Structures are given as C-alpha cells and as structure tokens.
Amino acid sequence: MRLVLPPGVSETVFQKALQALAGVVGKQWVLATDEDRETFMDFYAAGDADLHVPSAAVGPQSLEEVQAIVRIANEYKVPLWPISRGKNLGYGAAAPCMSGTVVLDLARMNRILDVNERFGYCLLEPGVGFFDLFHYLQANKIKLWMSIPANAWGSVVGNALERGYGYTPYGENTRNICGLEVVLPNGELVRTGNGAMSNSVSWQLFKYGYGPSWDQLFCQSNFGIVTKMGMWLMPEPEATLGLNIQLPNPDDVGWAIDELAPLRMRGVIEQSPSIGNSLRFVASATQRSQWYQGDGALPDDVLLEILKKNNLGWWTVNLRLYGYDEVNEVHARIIREAFRKHVKQEIETVKWHRGDSIENSGAGVPATNALQIINWRGGRGGHIGFSPVLPAASEHVLKQFHSTKKRYEEIGVDYYGSFTLFERYTTNVNMMVYDRDDQEMTSKVRALFKVLIADAAREGYSEYRTHISYMDDVALTFDFNHHSLLRLNEAVKEALDPNGILAPGKQGVWPRARRPARA
Amino acid sequence: MKRNPLGSGNWPFRFGALALSLAIAGAISRGADDSVQKVEQGKKLFQERCGYCHRAGGTGTIMLTRRLGKDRSLLEERTDLTVAYVKKITRVGINGMPPHNRIELPDPELDLIAFYLTRPASLRAADTSKEGAP
C-alpha cells in the first residue's frame, strides 16, 4: 500500500518524524515500506480496508522508548495508533481508525513482570499474548487460571482494554484489571489506583486508589498508552462441572435466557454461559458448499437438515460450574431441573477434578481454531462482529434475534449469533462471514452493519465494542442530552492531548485538531 | 523480574525433542556449516510463532488439509516449500491467514523459520513435527 500521509503533515515533515523515531528505536523498528503498511491493514475487512491505511509502524521495546516516541509525535504532529499485538480480528485488527496514522506496535514489550499465586494476579506488558501467559503458568506450575477469548492469538492486555471476554468466572476481562501504568499523550507517566503511591504494596490488590479512579478511562480509549497492566487471575478450583444442552427450536433461546438469568445473577452460575446457534460448529468443521449451493442465506429447512445430520439443536448452551464438587452437584441439579421443564433430551455433563488433564477442565486454554469459521463461504474469507448489549430477558433477546436474522436473510448472509450471559445483561455477538473478494457481498455487509446499528439503537441497545469503520456511528447512538457524553470525552481528550496525536477517532472520540476527519 | 518464557523457550514438551535432534545433529554436522544450528533455531521459532495454527490439530493445518489434502497440511513435513514462498506468504498472508509484520516477526527470525521449513533431507532425520499444536 502506497504512503498515505497523516492529514495536515507534509511528506518532508513526515520523513523527518520517521528519522527521529528511528533515532529512538533503531532503524529496523520503523517500518514504512509498501509491504509493511499492508501488514498492519485490516486483513479481514469487508471491502473497506483502504479507509484505514497506516502510514508507518514503530516498535518500541521499553517504556522510555514509548515516552520518547510520544514526544516526537507531538513535535511533528504525527498521530499514533497504539496496538498491543494487533489481533483485534473482526474489529479492525492492527489498523488505525484514521488513514495516515502511525501504528505504535507494543508487541516487543512482552515481559511477564510478576505473577503472584497467593493473591491471584499478574502484572503484564501489552505484548504478552494469551499463549505466552498460559505457557508461563503451566511451565511454572502456578495454579492460576486465565480467562481466554475464543480466538487467543492476541494480547491479554489489549483484550482486557477492549473489554473482551472469556468463559470462566473471571470472564469479564476488563473487570479483572487492577492498576495500570500509562504514558499520557504529553509523554508523562502515571500509575493508576494504588500504583500512584510509589511504595504501595497493594497496586494489584485494590482497584480504586484514592479519589477519581482511572482504570476504565483507559479502556476503549485514546487518553493514554497502557505500558503495564495488573490483572486478577482465578485460583484453580477443586473441580468443575460442565453442562452442554441442545435447544431444538429457534425460540428456545428466550426461555433459556429467562431460566439462566436469575441463576447467573444469584451466583448459582458464576461464569458466563454461552448460547450460540449450532451452525457455528458446522461452520467451523465444514464448508457451506458441502451442504448447500444455492444463493441467499441458508434456508431454514436446509439448516434443520444439517443440524439433524450433526445431531445438533438449533442452539447449543455451554455452561460450567467451578468450585467444590458437592456445591457444583447441587447447582447442576438446580440447572438441570430448570432445563427439564422445557426439554427432554439428555444434558451432556463433563466433570473435571484437580489433577485431571487440563483438557475439558474449563480452564482457559488458548487456541485459534475459532478462526475456522471464516472458511465457511469459500474464497478468501473475512468476518466482522456486530455486538449489541441487551437486558438478559427473553422479550429483548427474541426481538433482537428475529430482527437480526431477518436482516441477514435480506442480504443473503447466514445468521451466526451467540448470546453470552452476564449477571444482568447479555452480549449478542453476531458474526458476518463473507468472501472478501466478493464486492457485492461485502458492500451489502457494510450496509447491513449500519442498519443493525440503527435497528439496535431504536430499541435502546448499545454495542459493547465495534469495528473501526463504525466507531463514529456507534458513538452517535449515545445521544442523551445532545451527545453530552461525547462532548465530555472530547473535553478530556482536549485537555490530555491538545495536539491530537493519540488514536484519533478511537471509539468516535476525535481531538479538536482532527475533528474534520469525522465521517 | 521474570522474563517472558517464550524468550527462553522453556515449553516442557520441547526438551526431549531438542535433546534428540541435537544428538542427531552432532552426528551429521560437518566443519563450519551452521545449518544444524539454524534448523534448531528455526524450529524453535516456528513452534513458538507459527505453532498456534500450524502444528497437528491447529487451525492452519485444518485449513491446509481442506485445501491441499492431509499429506501437505503439516508445514514441518512439507518438502515442496521454498524460502521465497514461505517468506512472501508470511508477510502478505493467504486465504484465512493474516500477514505477519516485521515487528512481531523480524526478518532474521523469518529467515530462520524459512530455513527450517525448507531444510534438506539430511537435516530432517530428527523430525518431531507430529507433536500436537501447543
């Protein structure tokens, strides 16, 4: 990809900035060839990767280098897009929101600085991947479990900052953040929470510190660059008990949510059960053409036939209990009774006890196999995720499910959705899987995405996270008092980042200097 | 301060394989040729950086099985790869596989991985690539 300069920066100034950056990190860690730029673009984009073209990338190895880079960015007014490992797949990967932005790739800052088994926490740099931490815990026989997202290629820090989730009782990853070290857009270094006390012995124990608490202000944010993150890890339980339930009919997701939500809220279930349409298993293991060659979305009768052949219900519920065996058994009985009111078939039970192999334990074990689904359509696959947050109640879940499925069918894309149940809400991740070389399909997907945002907003449903192409659209749905929250975010942005050098457009927050770029 | 374990390569399963390959390497190495060492380094890097997807059971192996058949699905067993091809595909991606940039995977490391995947038959005796994905 040819060079796209940052808005308002001349090529001469830009080249001087790159030279200055090379003076900090070394020439080999400033990447600015056409091929380099391609490697930071959104590989899975639905035909609009060229709206988010980085001008270069810089890879520091230390906090001091990050600070020096930030000072150079201010001097030359060159914007930076920080990434931890750049594997935010389905949401833009490593690509910046605004073309011309320099990617600040923190992958080389990959030290596991501390793991404390007694108190169950770790302190990480942003480049540490899920696989890295997992192997570290395994190799050192540390009895702490991780919460891992479906595709585990990425960064532990990056995922928590983007509010990703996993499937253990510690699954709401952003909630486990306890203490950050952050380089502000002016290069100043701060530590949040108790880390603000230089000799604190509880930085990773007490989240709030004293006065305003800042950890969440650096999540999905362009207010600072996180260079260290404390995170709570779950102590290995004595036992786990998994229950896998097939729900035969599309509307069963409604009563399932209503049965599970009170159990989740009361702590009978402590992790976040996932209710996903079973097509995802078929799509991971096979290709669409093996089942159906017709145009348009997979017809309902064909889908039923596929599910029947694979012995699957319309939805699959996966949930798991963690803790003492006796307690798990009692809770499992309560859950089975709730389901038996509605379905007759056997509920699959998977038991694990401490000392058994980690497979089937329900511990977070990293894998990348979830990525298989992009092969479903054939060709060069891509995917994008539309992820609204709904109240954990059938009236909302059914309404949203039917409305989304209908929208998918209108443009001929197969419905692929899941509901992950938290204490009071459910996150509804809808994947759109496409052949990214099929321009007609990708343009329909892009239009669908905007329609889904509007549909959801009309019902009062917000998104928990979104792709870089839709950050403004989603931000604008937060419209109370003429978007006063956006104005507050912009006021903070202005105060912290007057030159607008950090991640312009992230989550719809633009610095004044860059605001013309708003779509 | 504890270092990232992948820097020192202490995955438990690797020790046995390494000892075996070094023993065989000792038997075949000659003079100042450093290819045995490069194969070992490349193998370690491959397993750390590519192994998530490209060992047995991994998502890349599954995709390659579908595309090229089982016999050509495990990259470590392939004998038809060239250095130029491995390097190009790693940088530009292919089908479902995203590109890898020169910060997460610098050129000297990719060179070693490509050297390992295209190693001559004489350096393949200690093949342990059938171990599962980590």
Side-chain angles (χ1 to χ4, degrees), chain A residues 36 44 87 112 132 136, chain B residues 2 6 59 88 96 102 104:
Chain A
D36 285 328
Y44 294 134
K87 311 302 177 195
I112 295 168
D132 303 341
Y136 183 87
Chain B
K2 295 162 187 169
L6 294 189
T59 195
K88 190 68 184 176
R102 293 197 292 134
E104 64 188 325

Side-chain angles (χ1 to χ4, degrees), chain A residues 154-277:
Chain A
S155 152
V156 180
V157 172
N159 179 274
L161 293 175
E162 289 300 313
R163 306 203 184 105
Y165 59 82
Y167 302 92
T168 69
Y170 280 49
E172 213 171 345
N173 296 339
T174 199
R175 196 193 279 190
N176 302 323
I177 296 174
C178 189
L180 300 175
E181 179 186 86
V182 183
V183 174
L184 296 179
N186 64 1
E188 179 151 56
L189 185 67
V190 293
R191 286 184 173 179
T192 65
N194 272 9
M197 179 190 247
S198 39
N199 66 341
S200 173
V201 290
S202 53
W203 189 19
Q204 269 66 62
L205 305 181
F206 183 68
K207 292 181 179 181
Y208 313 111
Y210 180 70
S213 191
W214 279 77
D215 283 2
Q216 278 297 316
L217 281 164
F218 295 110
C219 291
Q220 292 193 357
S221 152
N222 53 13
F223 296 161
I225 301 163
V226 174
T227 48
K228 290 185 182 70
M229 185 184 91
M231 186 177 211
W232 290 352
L233 299 172
M234 177 186 167
E236 181 190 88
E238 290 64 30
T240 68
L241 192 162
L243 296 174
N244 303 317
I245 307 143
Q246 297 294 323
L247 308 181
N249 306 305
D251 280 359
D252 292 342
V253 67
W255 63 253
I257 288 279
D258 284 342
E259 292 288 355
L260 289 172
L263 300 177
R264 176 75 175 97
M265 197 165 91
R266 294 160 68 175
V268 173
I269 303 167
E270 289 182 314
Q271 56 86 243
S272 298
S274 144
I275 308 177
N277 69 327

Side-chain angles (χ1 to χ4, degrees), chain B residues 35 38-39 83 110-119 123:
Chain B
S35 19
K38 279 164 71 181
V39 163
V83 168
L110 178 54
D111 289 345
L112 287 167
I113 289 170
F115 187 85
Y116 167 61
L117 291 180
T118 58
R119 66 203 180 282
L123 292 168

